[in-house]
Amino acid sequence: MNTEELVALCPLFRGILPDELHALLHCLSAKEFFPKKGGFILASPGTQPLIGVVLEGSVQMISEDSFGKRSLITILSKGSIFGESYSCMKERNRSIAYQANEASRILILDYGRILHACKLVCRFHHRMIENMVELIALKNLELVEKLEVISCATIREKLLTYLGREAQRAGTNHFTIPMSRTALAEYLCVDRSAMTRELAHMREEGLLRFDKRQFVLLQ
């Protein structure tokens, strides 16, 4: 697909007609970026506030504390936006970064032009802002879900809560998670080796089956 076809599928641009979309992308100084797996995006925002839209692939939102400990906050899938919360802050938090979870295709937009519609595109510009507010609300719900997961007392409780949510999201007890074992340990804020042992115990007890990223919840 070409850029405009992919963009039209994104929730951020829902309700915007193709001819309007072309003008809007020009107004927002849209540029494409093709990071490889592990590549950083908007890692060190400068004076110009920018946001990203995941057209293909997926992106990790990560943080790092003053001691260098890394934490995975969430995985942003196709159609997600990122960077909006920190672009609108006067003092931007550089401890937050975005890293390609796989080879991806990213659209970079000028956040300042999103907030301040020009006269040429205001008719559909406001529709995009409404879409963005909805996406921010959905992301906040995802972050609340993560808080509930990491608030669990044990590694087993964290795993069961997270995997249960993934099964519910997939609509089946046989599903694929969007992250590796290392990323999952970072997301749950647990030691990877301890998590791997707990998964093995849970499999032995007949609670689940798994093969790499594929899981089956049995109870």
Side-chain angles (χ1 to χ4, degrees):
M1 289 187 179
N2 63 36
T3 301
E4 290 190 14
E5 289 174 332
L6 287 171
V7 168
L9 297 175
C10 293
L12 179 62
F13 302 99
R14 183 174 57 247
I16 299 175
L17 298 176
D19 58 333
E20 297 173 333
L21 187 59
H22 179 79
L24 182 60
L25 292 178
H26 177 73
C27 172
L28 300 179
S29 301
K31 296 179 181 179
E32 280 192 278
F33 184 44
F34 298 86
K36 297 180 180 179
K37 181 177 180 180
F40 283 93
I41 315 152
L42 306 182
S44 298
T47 56
Q48 182 183 18
L50 303 172
I51 72 166
V53 183
V54 184
L55 297 182
E56 292 179 336
S58 56
V59 171
Q60 295 181 353
M61 181 180 180
I62 59 178
S63 67
E64 188 173 289
D65 62 22
S66 56
F67 299 101
K69 182 179 179 181
R70 169 185 157 128
S71 175
L72 173 62
I73 299 174
T74 190
I75 298 284
L76 302 162
S77 58
K78 182 178 177 179
S80 299
I81 62 173
F82 59 93
E84 74 291 343
S85 297
Y86 300 95
S87 289
C88 66
M89 295 171 61
K90 291 183 179 180
E91 294 183 8
R92 291 167 198 148
N93 189 341
R94 293 176 183 267
S95 66
I96 299 295
Y98 301 92
Q99 186 176 26
N101 192 46
E102 57 191 304
S104 301
R105 187 174 182 177
I106 307 298
L107 188 71
I108 302 297
L109 306 173
D110 185 329
Y111 186 72
R113 292 186 175 222
I114 292 177
L115 293 183
H116 306 290
C118 70
K119 294 180 180 179
L120 295 177
V121 296
C122 61
R123 183 167 57 87
F124 44 85
H125 203 124
H126 288 95
R127 174 61 180 172
M128 183 191 62
I129 294 175
E130 291 175 1
N131 292 340
M132 185 172 70
V133 171
E134 182 179 345
L135 289 172
I136 292 172
L138 289 172
K139 185 185 291 184
N140 286 340
L141 288 177
E142 292 177 0
L143 295 178
V144 169
E145 286 184 356
K146 178 184 177 173
L147 182 59
E148 292 174 350
V149 170
I150 64 175
S151 296
C152 293
T154 66
I155 295 177
R156 175 170 297 203
E157 290 174 351
K158 290 181 180 183
L159 283 166
L160 288 175
T161 302
Y162 170 75
L163 294 174
R165 289 226 172 99
E166 287 297 308
Q168 185 177 29
R169 187 174 287 112
T172 174
N173 66 335
H174 191 163
F175 54 92
T176 302
I177 65 173
M179 58 187 84
S180 65
R181 289 286 186 277
T182 299
L184 179 58
E186 290 178 1
Y187 179 83
L188 299 177
C189 300
V190 299
D191 178 75
R192 185 185 186 280
S193 297
M195 183 193 73
T196 300
R197 288 194 298 270
E198 189 59 50
L199 282 171
H201 292 327
M202 294 166 70
R203 178 166 56 186
E204 292 169 1
E205 295 173 22
L207 295 175
L208 51 76
R209 295 197 306 266
F210 59 86
D211 179 24
K212 296 181 179 178
R213 297 187 182 189
Q214 297 183 356
F215 283 81
V216 181
L217 287 182
L218 302 176
Q219 296 183 23

